Amino acid sequence: MSQETAPDSETSEPADDLVSPDHVADVLRDRIRSGELPRHARLPTQRALVEEFGVNRTTVRQALAVLEREGYLSARGRGAPAVVSSPAEDAPRPAGVEVADRIALAFQADTITIDAFCLTTETLNAALAAPLIAISTGELAPESISIRVMLPNPDAPLAYPRLISDPADRRPLLRLRRLTRTFSTSVRHQLTSLAEMGLVPKVSVEIRAVPITPVQKVYLLNGSEVLTAYYQVVPRVVEYEQEQLEIYDVLGLNSKVFRSSSDTAFVEESHQWFESLWSTLAQPLTLG
């Protein structure tokens, strides 16, 4: 379970190891959806929520921040209780937003595990930025971080990216290799640097390649949550070696993410699926 690690100078209540910001957000979200907290109603004060959930004020603030980003709460004035609103749609959010939010919450735990299957690690790379800054400033202090990433092998006959006019042209795959190297190297460097600087006692980063074209991206967080998003193929123009290429490609940052944590059977099956690929077809990815 998540554990509060950031110091809270504004309240004397200790953090409760058993209650995470995610849990607080889930309870309040359910109250809003059920109508128990109707639209335009004022949320209880932070002090009242601290007492109700037995957590510190930092945990409450993190929970409220999640609900604000999701559209369930209006922006809070200084010292004023939040006001209940509602999202334009109760629908999945873009990967660039949802993955970042969920990974930020996953990093509240002492032991962090992330298994990811994606095209280039661009979304993962962006999502890790805020938690890694929080660790470097001492706001977070996890005991261990373990990340495993599976990517498509650019040397395999992938369905995409490919040149629209000539599917046999290798340039889109060479461009994919370059992007993969850039983002994967960044992820590995940022995480291993935490161990080198003594900020996290144990860090493990493994990146492997599989000869499979991904039709969706999958993130398995702390063994208890699954994020999935479908890749939709679109025609677009990209630049490679100072040339404009019209290719079939996918845009991962804007794909809609579906989240599951309550369906334990689905979470377990997703882990078994990942492990089956990781232990059989996946091979270490050479980034050089």
Side-chain angles (χ1 to χ4, degrees):
M1 299 293 289
S2 297
Q3 180 176 2
E4 186 63 50
T5 57
D8 183 9
S9 60
E10 296 188 31
T11 180
S12 58
E13 298 91 337
D16 189 331
D17 291 350
L18 302 179
V19 181
S20 68
D22 200 14
H23 172 75
V24 176
D26 285 344
V27 172
L28 295 177
R29 189 187 299 107
D30 288 343
R31 292 177 185 174
I32 294 171
R33 286 175 171 173
S34 69
E36 181 181 345
L37 287 171
R39 191 174 184 182
H40 303 310
R42 287 190 177 276
L43 210 65
T45 64
Q46 289 186 17
R47 181 179 295 277
L49 293 173
V50 163
E51 293 177 356
E52 176 183 354
F53 290 98
V55 296
N56 64 29
R57 193 163 295 187
T58 299
T59 299
V60 168
R61 286 173 175 167
Q62 290 170 345
L64 297 182
V66 170
L67 294 175
E68 282 185 17
R69 288 193 293 268
E70 293 178 350
Y72 287 100
L73 300 177
S74 63
R76 291 165 284 150
R78 183 173 180 84
V83 175
V84 175
S85 56
S86 60
E89 291 183 42
D90 188 11
R93 297 189 298 163
V97 176
E98 182 73 353
V99 175
D101 280 354
R102 303 314 301 177
I103 284 181
L105 286 173
F107 265 75
Q108 300 297 319
D110 280 340
T111 301
I112 300 156
T113 63
I114 299 176
D115 290 338
F117 178 50
C118 49
L119 187 63
T120 64
T121 74
E122 180 180 7
T123 302
L124 178 62
N125 192 69
L128 288 170
L132 297 188
I133 290 175
I135 291 173
S136 66
T137 60
E139 182 180 346
L140 296 176
E143 295 177 0
S144 69
I145 302 172
S146 176
I147 295 184
R148 300 189 299 178
V149 180
M150 280 193 301
L151 303 171
N153 188 341
D155 295 328
L158 302 179
Y160 55 74
R162 72 173 178 85
L163 203 65
I164 294 177
S165 61
D166 182 6
D169 193 307
R170 292 284 301 172
R171 288 177 295 173
L173 291 177
L174 293 175
R175 176 179 175 273
L176 175 63
R177 174 179 284 280
R178 181 179 295 177
L179 292 173
T180 298
R181 182 173 61 248
T182 297
F183 291 121
S184 298
T185 301
S186 176
V187 167
R188 175 172 287 170
H189 172 72
Q190 291 184 80
L191 286 162
T192 55
S193 293
L194 297 177
E196 293 170 357
M197 292 186 292
L199 297 174
V200 180
K202 183 178 180 181
V203 175
S204 173
V205 183
E206 293 185 78
I207 302 175
R208 297 184 183 182
V210 288
I212 297 173
T213 305
V215 295
Q216 62 182 7
K217 57 170 59 183
V218 181
Y219 303 91
L220 311 172
L221 308 181
N222 290 351
S224 61
E225 182 172 76
V226 180
L227 308 179
T228 59
Y230 292 107
Y231 283 122
Q232 295 191 18
V233 180
V234 297
R236 71 188 191 110
V237 176
V238 299
E239 184 173 323
Y240 177 73
E241 298 290 351
Q242 299 182 334
E243 290 188 67
Q244 300 295 309
L245 305 179
E246 188 174 2
I247 68 173
Y248 284 127
D249 199 8
V250 292
L251 301 177
L253 286 171
N254 293 323
S255 57
K256 297 296 191 296
V257 173
F258 294 83
R259 176 165 63 94
S260 178
S261 57
S262 58
D263 188 343
T264 56
F266 177 72
V267 173
E268 177 60 26
E269 188 71 12
S270 298
H271 278 278
Q272 292 182 16
W273 163 81
F274 185 93
E275 196 63 45
S276 72
L277 286 176
W278 184 265
S279 61
T280 57
L281 302 181
Q283 298 295 321
L285 178 64
T286 302
L287 299 176

